[in-house]
């Protein structure tokens, strides 16, 4: 609330908590813009893709040492814990306003 105008902080917090997991705000809080659009359903689909490929590789009738190399599904890279600075309102605003 700025100078007594605008929505209350409780309302803003309630609205932010209800954002879908594929939103840009959640992506920026998770690490970077590359997480945008990666909700639980997309992560599960990528895991399923990798599991099917691992099953194919494990159960195939390949000659000794001839199993195909199947690349994993491309995912956004995870940042190491503790390397990301704390997300502040100013940093989130700066990331949203940049194009």
């Amino acid at each position: 609330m700025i100078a007594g105008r605008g929505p209350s902080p409780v309302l803003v917090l309630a609205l932010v908590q209800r954002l879908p997991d594929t939103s840009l705000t959640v992506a920026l809080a998770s690490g970077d813009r590359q997480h945008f659009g990666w909700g639980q359903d997309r992560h599960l689909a990528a895991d399923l893709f990798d599991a099917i490929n691992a099953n194919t590789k494990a159960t195939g009738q390949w000659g000794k040492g001839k199993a195909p190399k199947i690349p994993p599904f491309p995912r956004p890279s995870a940042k190491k814990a503790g390397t990301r600075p704390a997300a502040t309102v100013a940093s989130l605003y700066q990331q949203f306003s940049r194009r």
Side-chain angles (χ1 to χ4, degrees):
M1 188 177 323
I2 300 172
R5 297 180 309 222
S8 68
V10 173
L11 175 65
V12 173
L13 183 61
L15 292 174
V16 168
Q17 288 175 343
R18 295 193 59 182
L19 285 172
D21 58 351
T22 56
S23 68
L24 183 59
T25 303
V26 174
L28 292 175
S30 297
D32 202 0
R33 286 180 180 259
Q34 63 183 347
H35 292 275
F36 181 58
W38 276 83
Q40 288 181 348
D41 58 338
R42 189 143 181 206
H43 282 286
L44 286 173
D47 290 340
L48 181 63
F49 179 85
D50 290 341
I52 290 171
N53 284 338
N55 187 29
T56 301
K57 187 175 177 181
T59 60
Q61 298 287 329
W62 320 110
K64 194 167 195 172
K66 303 267 185 178
K69 295 186 186 211
I70 304 171
F73 195 85
R75 292 176 172 81
S77 61
K79 293 187 177 183
K80 294 181 181 176
T83 60
R84 181 180 62 162
T88 62
V89 174
S91 67
L92 287 175
Y93 177 77
Q94 185 181 28
Q95 290 176 346
F96 273 117
S97 62
R98 129 183 98 152
R99 291 201 177 220

